[in-house]
Amino acid sequence: MNKQQQATRGLEAQQVIENPAYAEAMRLLKESVAKEWRKSDVRDMEGQRLLLQFSKTVDRFEQILTGMVDSGRYAERQIVDDEIRNESALRRAVRRVY
């Protein structure tokens, strides 16, 4: 995947994270897991294990999405740096003046 694709993917991931419907769905999902955990019987080890796995999966999903945003920002910065590095001396002088 090239830098432009990474930057685009990061922007799209940022839009998902900032989407109110996504934020509400994730909040409800986490609340649901916590509620089920509290309701589970102490002796139901398998059920508790499944809830823990699901909770970790939700957290991992958020980490991946956040990582995509960070990668996109880094790729965007590299694109800008490459453009600056490859500009002509005249353009560089004009850019510095303004």
Side-chain angles (χ1 to χ4, degrees), residues 10 28 31-32 38 44 62:
L28 290 172
E31 282 180 10
S32 173
R38 285 190 300 273
D44 184 10
E62 284 188 319

Side-chain angles (χ1 to χ4, degrees), residues 42-53:
V42 175
R43 294 170 291 205
D44 184 10
M45 298 299 284
E46 184 64 24
Q48 290 179 1
R49 187 175 302 126
L50 290 173
L51 286 167
L52 177 62
Q53 288 174 346

Side-chain angles (χ1 to χ4, degrees), residues 14 25 35 43 75:
Q14 182 69 38
K35 184 178 178 181
R43 294 170 291 205

Side-chain angles (χ1 to χ4, degrees), residues 16-49:
V16 169
I17 289 172
E18 292 174 352
N19 185 303
Y22 169 80
E24 179 69 10
M26 291 303 287
R27 184 186 66 76
L28 290 172
L29 183 61
K30 288 179 178 186
E31 282 180 10
S32 173
V33 171
K35 184 178 178 181
E36 289 299 317
W37 182 279
R38 285 190 300 273
K39 284 185 353 183
S40 69
D41 188 56
V42 175
R43 294 170 291 205
D44 184 10
M45 298 299 284
E46 184 64 24
Q48 290 179 1
R49 187 175 302 126

Side-chain angles (χ1 to χ4, degrees), residues 29-91:
L29 183 61
K30 288 179 178 186
E31 282 180 10
S32 173
V33 171
K35 184 178 178 181
E36 289 299 317
W37 182 279
R38 285 190 300 273
K39 284 185 353 183
S40 69
D41 188 56
V42 175
R43 294 170 291 205
D44 184 10
M45 298 299 284
E46 184 64 24
Q48 290 179 1
R49 187 175 302 126
L50 290 173
L51 286 167
L52 177 62
Q53 288 174 346
F54 186 68
S55 177
K56 287 185 178 208
T57 301
V58 170
D59 291 343
R60 182 67 182 134
F61 175 77
E62 284 188 319
Q63 289 172 356
I64 289 170
L65 206 54
T66 303
M68 291 171 115
V69 172
D70 294 341
S71 294
R73 286 182 184 149
Y74 179 71
E76 184 64 38
R77 186 66 211 157
Q78 284 182 320
I79 291 169
V80 170
D81 288 349
D82 289 346
E83 289 173 356
I84 290 171
R85 192 174 15 257
N86 294 334
E87 71 185 350
S88 69
L90 178 60
R91 266 190 78 126

